[in-house]
Amino acid sequence: QLLTREHIRAAVEQIRGVWYAPILYILLYAVGCVVALPASLFVIAAGFIWGWLLGGCYAMIGGTIGAVISYFMGRFIGEGLLERFGRVGRVVAKQVDHAGFKSLLILRNIPGIPFAALNYGAGVAGVRFRDYFFATIIGIAPSKFVFTYCADALFNGSMSEGDAFKRLAIVCGLVVAMVVLPMAIKRFAARKKALVAESSSAEPTEP
């Protein structure tokens, strides 16, 4: 049985002893982002191997590099990249059209939107790179450190599996609340602006 806890610990210790392992991990994660592999696999692996702090930082670097490469691929290759995602790709294309920093930050935290699809969609839509870059860094940070923390805690035995999933559910709930609240405020502001515009147009003009 090669997948016992002892064998996994021994393998992790070997990987930790290789000086170039973080560089290789970052490159693999970046490539994984480009080819649309599940990001959670890389993030959890980083937490297992290097702990929540270093693992979270390595995941941030790899995810950001992959996101930047995907962005420029989408920008120079075009809409064909989104077709591989089917209906989700069409939805993302609609969402990122004329998107700015705030909109991208919200989209980064909405569950169900593939990381790669949003990367390519932002490039295809011609989103300003500065907005895309900072929205990506800020938007992916919570999930990266949450997943690496839970993976680290499970591997080191400092948290039971049930406690880890409970804490993860709480954090995910907070992230969703942080997403829903700005969207609600945005809709309220837009509705208020529309009402003001309607009342202004309804006022009689002086002859």
Side-chain angles (χ1 to χ4, degrees), residues 150-175:
C150 291
D152 181 26
L154 279 172
F155 182 73
N156 292 319
S158 59
M159 184 190 303
S160 67
E161 185 175 354
D163 290 338
F165 283 110
K166 287 179 183 178
R167 190 166 298 185
L168 178 60
I170 293 172
V171 174
C172 289
L174 292 174
V175 171

Side-chain angles (χ1 to χ4, degrees), residues 8-27:
I8 294 174
R9 284 186 178 277
V12 168
E13 289 300 328
Q14 288 183 346
I15 295 173
R16 287 174 179 171
V18 179
W19 67 267
Y20 57 84
I23 300 174
L24 182 60
Y25 165 82
I26 290 171
L27 293 176

Side-chain angles (χ1 to χ4, degrees), residues 104-183:
L104 282 174
L105 186 59
I106 292 173
L107 290 171
R108 280 295 184 200
N109 289 284
I110 294 179
I113 298 181
F115 184 67
L118 189 55
N119 297 336
Y120 288 128
V124 171
V127 174
R128 188 167 58 174
F129 178 73
R130 184 179 65 183
D131 292 339
Y132 172 80
F133 181 76
F134 287 107
T136 296
I137 291 178
I138 298 173
I140 68 176
S143 62
K144 294 291 183 287
F145 286 102
V146 165
F147 277 102
T148 53
Y149 174 76
C150 291
D152 181 26
L154 279 172
F155 182 73
N156 292 319
S158 59
M159 184 190 303
S160 67
E161 185 175 354
D163 290 338
F165 283 110
K166 287 179 183 178
R167 190 166 298 185
L168 178 60
I170 293 172
V171 174
C172 289
L174 292 174
V175 171
V176 171
M178 291 172 61
V179 173
V180 172
L181 185 59
M183 292 178 65

Side-chain angles (χ1 to χ4, degrees), residues 61-82:
I61 296 171
T64 302
I65 293 174
V68 169
I69 295 173
S70 301
Y71 168 86
F72 283 108
M73 287 181 63
R75 191 156 191 172
F76 292 108
I77 296 179
E79 297 182 3
L81 290 171
L82 285 177

